[in-house]
Amino acid sequence: MNEAIHEATMSESWSRDSSLRGELLPLDRCPDLAVDWVALQDAVACSPFASWRWVSTWLEHLPAGIRPMVFRARDAGGGVAALALLVDAPEQGRARWLGRRSWHLQETGDAEVDEITIEYAGLLARPGCLPAAWRALFDALDRLPRDWRRLRVSTSEQGEAIAAALPQDMLATSVRSRPCYQVDLQVVREAPGGYLEVLGRKARGSLRQTLRAYDSLGPLRAEAAADTRVALDWFDAFEQLHTQHWQSRGAGGCFASPFFRRFHRALIERSSDEGFARMVRVTAGDALVGYLYNLGWQDKVYYYNAGMNYGLLRRHDRPGIASLYAVVEQAAAAGELVFDFLAGDQEYKRRLASTELMLHSIDVRRSGMRATAERIGAGIAQRGTLGVPLGEALATMPPAPSTQEA
């Protein structure tokens, strides 16, 4: 980072609504970051990707050349009202021809590192402070030299707060919108027929067919790893099945990224005993159906990844569907509130869900001649790289519940 950026990021000022002041600081200037982060996460509803368990593991395993900055917003009394981690990275691919840089919220711009794929990206903010916190961040970015191209916020539910806080000299676009399907586990518990009863007619019929097929092998069972050693063994087995499946389709799968494996083994080692990183094995009698890797956080279960044992049955061979059914039933029985499939419009997610919300990957740019030239260039090339204006994208989507108060 050059000296001009360093000086700018060390400064702070009140946001435009004078309720919060924001600053961007190097990590070594924030010795109390863990304490402040945990205090905020315990005060709000947030995703597991915003938890200190995930964030601290990410910070400890980042390559040495990647140095995140801390965004911190304080109130008039000096209390920490919002936090985030941002990485200043040079553009990759064709965008490098622009000779510019982008800010990434809790990502790095390096595809191999970002393979861990966070969702629900955004600011960790006290209840009621989210729009003011975004205004404070935009003010902090506005004080930087003008060589940054965009701020990227991936797969976020904070679009409404971003749009409300956006200053006149910045533009925001939704570069990708994806549904996030969920199961309301309280509804599952209250339904006399359990999970099957909350699904649509066609989904029920297909699922019953799948369950009968696996039941011919023995009772379907979802079993959580008893301890960290077992969880790591199952993680290795999950890796083998996952990689085998994706290589059969001519792709490498997520384990093609060495960072993915290092990060998640470390996350399991530090958090599986407390139920955060959850390895689950699903069996039908003595036969292995598959492994699911979930995240458990604030009474919700997030379906993160899986390795399935394909080819077990001659007909109705759907190990993923059978495994998800077993794990949803397990989560409902355990008293969890929501099972979250995370973002994606796959048919199985639509059929197995009872509710949905919309998440947006958002780019924030400064307005001006450079941004105008980039839009014109994208139009000439007939590429939708700049997305849809955020306000327009939000207006076309149904309102959705939020995991963080705005």
Side-chain angles (χ1 to χ4, degrees), residues 391-405:
E392 180 181 327
L394 294 172
T396 61
M397 303 300 173
S402 173
T403 63
Q404 176 152 329
E405 186 175 323

Side-chain angles (χ1 to χ4, degrees), residues 24-41:
L24 282 161
L25 300 166
L27 271 171
D28 59 12
R29 290 289 304 273
C30 301
D32 297 327
L33 180 62
V35 173
D36 292 338
W37 200 286
V38 170
L40 275 182
Q41 77 174 26

Side-chain angles (χ1 to χ4, degrees), residues 185 188 193-196 222 323-335 339:
L185 297 178
V188 172
Y195 182 27
L196 271 169
S323 295
L324 285 166
Y325 168 82
V327 171
V328 169
E329 286 278 19
Q330 179 194 57
F339 188 90

Side-chain angles (χ1 to χ4, degrees), residues 142-208:
D142 205 35
R143 298 194 300 273
L144 299 178
R146 300 189 66 85
D147 64 343
W148 61 274
R149 175 177 173 239
R150 63 177 177 173
L151 165 67
R152 164 59 60 88
V153 186
S154 292
T155 319
S156 179
E157 62 170 346
Q158 294 185 5
E160 294 282 357
I162 292 172
L166 198 68
Q168 291 185 349
D169 58 351
M170 291 185 184
L171 308 169
T173 56
S174 170
V175 295
R176 187 181 187 187
S177 60
R178 290 190 292 168
C180 177
Y181 295 101
Q182 301 177 337
V183 181
D184 184 332
L185 297 178
Q186 182 62 35
V187 173
V188 172
R189 282 189 290 274
E190 293 172 355
Y195 182 27
L196 271 169
E197 188 171 315
V198 309
L199 303 178
R201 180 180 58 82
K202 293 179 69 174
R204 287 198 305 271
S206 177
L207 182 53
R208 284 194 179 103

Side-chain angles (χ1 to χ4, degrees), residues 305-382:
N305 215 319
M308 293 292 110
N309 186 16
Y310 290 96
L312 192 60
L313 299 173
R314 295 183 61 184
R315 297 185 62 207
H316 312 304
D317 185 51
R318 303 176 188 131
I321 299 297
S323 295
L324 285 166
Y325 168 82
V327 171
V328 169
E329 286 278 19
Q330 179 194 57
E336 306 283 4
L337 299 178
V338 172
F339 188 90
D340 192 318
F341 288 101
L342 295 179
D345 197 26
Q346 295 93 331
E347 182 181 1
Y348 77 88
K349 292 185 178 183
R350 292 198 304 272
R351 288 195 171 194
L352 294 177
S354 61
T355 62
E356 69 177 281
L357 54 87
M358 191 64 66
L359 304 178
H360 295 267
S361 288
I362 298 166
D363 278 359
V364 177
R365 289 175 166 83
R366 281 172 163 152
S367 57
M369 292 184 62
R370 277 187 170 181
T372 300
E374 191 173 351
R375 287 197 301 275
I376 293 172
I380 293 173
Q382 295 184 331

